[in-house]
Amino acid sequence: EAGVVQSPRYKIIEKKQPVAFWCNPISGHNTLYWYLQNLGQGPELLIRYENEEAVDDSQLPKDRFSAERLKGVDSTLKIQPAELGDSAVYLCASSTRAGVSSYNEQFFGPGTRLTVL
Amino acid sequence: AQSVTQLDSHVSVSEGTPVLLRCNYSSSYSPSLFWYVQHPNKGLQLLLKYTSAATLVKGINGFEAEFKKSETSFHLTKPSAHMSDAAEYFCVVSDDPDKLIFGTGTRLQVFP
């Protein structure tokens, strides 16, 4: 079974430019997460989707960040315009949704390492 | 509010010696606790999880962790380190299945 796929793996851009990251979750996983991982830190949740609905975007900086999950499968995270402080690793994860109170393992992709110059 | 503190940013051991990665947590509820491992250029992988069942939890690759409520700790151990164990390890706390709170990570180095 294929894991979570992310592309590109690496991206270098100049500040003020736009950038987009793509994620393909594990087949059948209806919950999708985007995380931000700064250097030397643990991942922090940016946004969570249940199918195509963004059910938790409270930590997403909406002035420059946007995300979509068309048809409830693949997802794209966009930054426009990028700032120097956006340099980090952007992780995508997916899980099933067996029940409201049960824990469902999140499976992570390898991430996209963004460098903003 | 929940939080997790990983007490060591780096741990170095020799191959074949025991591994101890320390984690303390803070939570208002009975939390679920996890350890994830991150190898270079690979996705985070779940090592083990505690969800209010047995306090001693066994995970993959010979790792285990013990939940100690009185000490608010969830330390990760392995009796004998292998070179392939070298990676970044994250302790995670959660009282909501969809919200994982990660620690800052411990980098494990294994010397031959």
Side-chain angles (χ1 to χ4, degrees):
Chain A
E1 176 181 283
V4 176
V5 179
Q6 292 188 247
S7 70
R9 294 294 312 279
Y10 304 90
K11 188 73 175 180
I12 300 174
I13 61 172
E14 295 188 346
K15 63 181 181 182
K16 301 185 181 179
Q17 294 300 305
V19 65
F21 315 123
W22 175 80
C23 173
N24 177 239
I26 293 173
S27 177
H29 283 193
N30 51 2
T31 306
L32 184 145
Y33 313 77
W34 282 103
Y35 287 86
L36 166 68
Q37 186 176 15
N38 285 304
L39 184 65
Q41 301 294 317
E44 299 175 1
L45 181 68
L46 287 173
I47 189 169
R48 173 170 65 93
Y49 281 93
E50 292 293 341
N51 299 305
E52 65 274 11
E53 182 182 359
V55 296
D56 183 358
D57 63 356
S58 58
Q59 302 303 310
L60 188 73
K62 298 181 183 64
D63 56 337
R64 297 184 301 108
F65 287 66
S66 64
E68 60 183 10
R69 191 183 184 196
L70 300 176
K71 301 181 181 180
V73 181
D74 295 358
S75 178
T76 302
L77 178 68
K78 299 178 181 178
I79 309 174
Q80 182 170 9
E83 297 179 351
L84 295 176
D86 296 331
S87 295
V89 176
Y90 293 82
L91 298 169
C92 181
S94 69
S95 70
T96 59
R97 185 78 175 157
V100 174
S101 61
S102 64
Y103 170 73
N104 303 302
E105 180 179 349
Q106 294 185 27
F107 294 83
F108 285 81
T112 296
R113 182 176 296 277
L114 174 66
T115 301
V116 182
L117 303 176
Chain B
Q2 302 172 92
S3 65
V4 62
T5 301
Q6 293 186 242
L7 299 167
D8 307 290
S9 59
H10 291 84
V11 170
S12 297
V13 300
S14 297
E15 190 174 23
T17 64
V19 175
L20 170 64
L21 305 183
R22 299 182 295 165
C23 173
N24 286 109
Y25 70 90
S26 173
S27 177
S28 302
Y29 304 97
S30 296
S32 295
L33 293 157
F34 315 88
W35 278 96
Y36 276 81
V37 61
Q38 188 174 37
H39 287 94
N41 298 316
K42 293 192 175 180
L44 285 154
Q45 181 183 19
L46 180 65
L47 271 181
L48 50 80
K49 63 183 179 184
Y50 166 78
T51 54
S52 74
T55 57
L56 182 61
V57 182
K58 295 187 183 298
I60 61 172
N61 301 333
F63 284 94
E64 62 182 38
E66 186 172 7
F67 172 69
K68 292 186 176 180
K69 187 175 181 178
S70 61
E71 299 176 9
T72 61
S73 70
F74 191 57
H75 301 334
L76 182 70
T77 61
K78 182 174 181 178
S80 176
H82 191 272
M83 295 296 292
S84 61
D85 294 328
E88 187 90 18
Y89 291 80
F90 292 93
C91 183
V92 180
V93 65
S94 174
D95 65 3
D96 177 334
D98 292 306
K99 289 199 172 182
L100 303 181
I101 307 299
F102 284 78
T104 53
T106 298
R107 181 165 298 278
L108 177 65
Q109 286 185 303
V110 183
F111 295 103

